[in-house]
Amino acid sequence: SQDSLAFIQAQKAAISEQLAQAKRNFEVGTATITDTHEAQARFDLAVSQEIAAQRDLEIKKSTLQQIIGKFPERLTPLRPAIQLSPPQPNAMEQWISRAEDQNFAVRVQQAALAIASREVERGRAGHYPTINIVGNFSKNSASVFTSGPVSYSTDSINRSIGLQLSIPLYSGGGINSLVRQAIANQEKARHDLENARRSAALAARQAYLGVTNGIAQVKALEAALVSSQSALDSNKLGYEVGVRINIDVLNAQQQLYSTERDLALARYNTITTQLKLKAAAGSLNEADLEQVNLALAP
């Protein structure tokens, strides 16, 4: 959003210059009033787009504030000559395989399935005999009074230890019900694990294609940017010598700034998708974020 606002402001400045030139040409009689009206319409449209872009930027900054805890006054853009690299390894099936095994959601469901399997074993153990060690210790003290002035005390200590064997014969079907419930939970956990693997594989496939297509789109837009700049220069020269009209220059300017905006958006989307790809594969770490920071302008 910040880059889009910058492109719109640059476009507005260029249109303002073109508008002033159209007015001068109309005053000296080398241009029609139509050129002025067309430039004024494009300028007013650029002002409207600038207001919308400023509002969108403030909204996204407020959203970012909820994440980082403070309002970002300025966001650092990407370096102008950043080079994007394809995923390593550059094979979609390997990323999908990693996602199916190492995705964080998959790991959570694997642990849930392991717990559910243990619950089945614990429920079935309710039918098994149990043996317990039982121990007892007691001490009693008593005083015996005789008819004379002398009294006698007696102490007794009892110790016992043994084994207690319990064999469940019938518990009203309660254990069987718990086992069936545990088996149902285990089956649910198994389906949840399979669903998590499929979701992780889909996310990895989409992210991989997003990265590869994004890199191709960036290269195409870089070539289109060079062509758009050449077209603008040619139209400006043609307007000066009288073989092009003002609307041709305005269209060429709009095409140039639209290409710059699309190129910046494609770069940002590709970098974000690279992080999503590593997150889907369960390999995203701080080093990956540090590489993104290094790609930002100083």
Side-chain angles (χ1 to χ4, degrees):
S1 296
Q2 182 172 270
D3 286 351
S4 297
L5 177 60
F7 294 143
I8 291 174
Q9 290 173 341
Q11 182 180 7
K12 187 182 74 170
I15 295 175
S16 178
E17 180 181 352
Q18 194 69 21
L19 175 60
Q21 184 178 359
K23 289 181 178 180
R24 290 193 300 268
N25 293 339
F26 175 70
E27 291 174 355
V28 299
T30 58
T32 63
I33 190 63
T34 304
D35 291 339
T36 305
H37 290 167
E38 289 173 346
Q40 185 66 51
R42 291 296 180 91
F43 180 80
D44 295 338
L45 178 61
V47 172
S48 174
Q49 293 174 343
E50 181 184 16
I51 295 173
Q54 288 176 340
R55 179 183 61 85
D56 183 63
L57 179 60
E58 291 300 320
I59 292 175
K60 291 184 177 179
K61 282 185 176 181
S62 300
T63 304
L64 181 60
Q65 182 183 11
Q66 295 180 347
I67 301 175
I68 64 178
K70 62 180 180 179
F71 188 80
E73 297 296 336
R74 181 180 178 275
L75 300 176
T76 304
L78 289 173
R79 296 177 183 270
I82 180 176
Q83 298 295 327
L84 301 177
S85 302
Q88 296 298 329
N90 195 7
M92 183 171 62
E93 293 303 325
Q94 294 186 24
W95 285 99
I96 293 176
S97 178
R98 288 183 182 180
E100 291 177 340
D101 295 333
Q102 302 177 12
N103 182 271
F104 294 120
V106 172
R107 293 182 182 180
V108 170
Q109 293 303 326
Q110 287 174 341
L113 178 59
I115 293 174
S117 300
R118 294 292 180 88
E119 287 295 323
V120 173
E121 296 176 1
R122 188 170 72 92
R124 287 173 175 170
H127 292 292
Y128 301 156
T130 59
I131 185 169
N132 299 313
I133 298 177
V134 180
N136 183 40
F137 175 84
S138 64
K139 179 179 180 181
N140 296 320
S141 298
S143 297
V144 179
F145 294 92
T146 61
S147 59
V150 181
S151 62
Y152 301 93
S153 61
T154 60
D155 296 329
S156 62
I157 298 176
N158 295 320
R159 299 184 182 88
S160 63
I161 187 172
L163 298 176
Q164 185 180 59
L165 176 65
S166 299
I167 301 177
L169 297 178
Y170 183 70
S171 59
I175 296 177
N176 291 333
S177 297
L178 292 175
V179 171
R180 287 196 300 269
Q181 180 181 359
I183 293 175
N185 291 334
Q186 181 188 37
E187 191 65 19
K188 178 181 179 299
R190 185 175 289 108
H191 287 296
D192 291 342
L193 174 59
E194 182 62 24
N195 182 62
R197 284 175 173 166
R198 292 179 181 178
S199 299
L202 177 61
R205 182 179 288 106
Q206 291 175 339
Y208 181 86
L209 294 175
V211 173
T212 54
N213 293 339
I215 292 175
Q217 184 181 15
V218 167
K219 292 181 179 180
L221 287 171
E222 288 174 346
L225 183 62
V226 176
S227 301
S228 297
Q229 183 64 56
S230 300
L232 177 59
D233 296 338
S234 300
N235 278 280
K236 284 184 176 180
L237 180 60
Y239 180 72
E240 293 175 358
V241 299
V243 297
R244 285 289 187 268
I245 60 176
N246 191 42
I247 189 63
D248 295 329
V249 178
L250 294 174
N251 289 336
Q253 286 178 342
Q254 182 178 5
Q255 180 63 38
L256 174 63
Y257 290 114
S258 296
T259 304
E260 290 181 341
R261 180 197 58 201
D262 294 342
L263 175 59
L265 182 60
R267 285 171 173 168
Y268 283 116
N269 288 339
T270 302
I271 292 175
T272 303
T273 308
Q274 285 177 335
L275 298 178
K276 290 181 179 179
L277 176 60
K278 293 184 178 181
S283 60
L284 182 64
N285 51 41
E286 294 183 2
D288 299 318
L289 301 180
E290 184 63 25
Q291 290 182 355
V292 175
N293 288 335
L294 294 176
L296 301 177

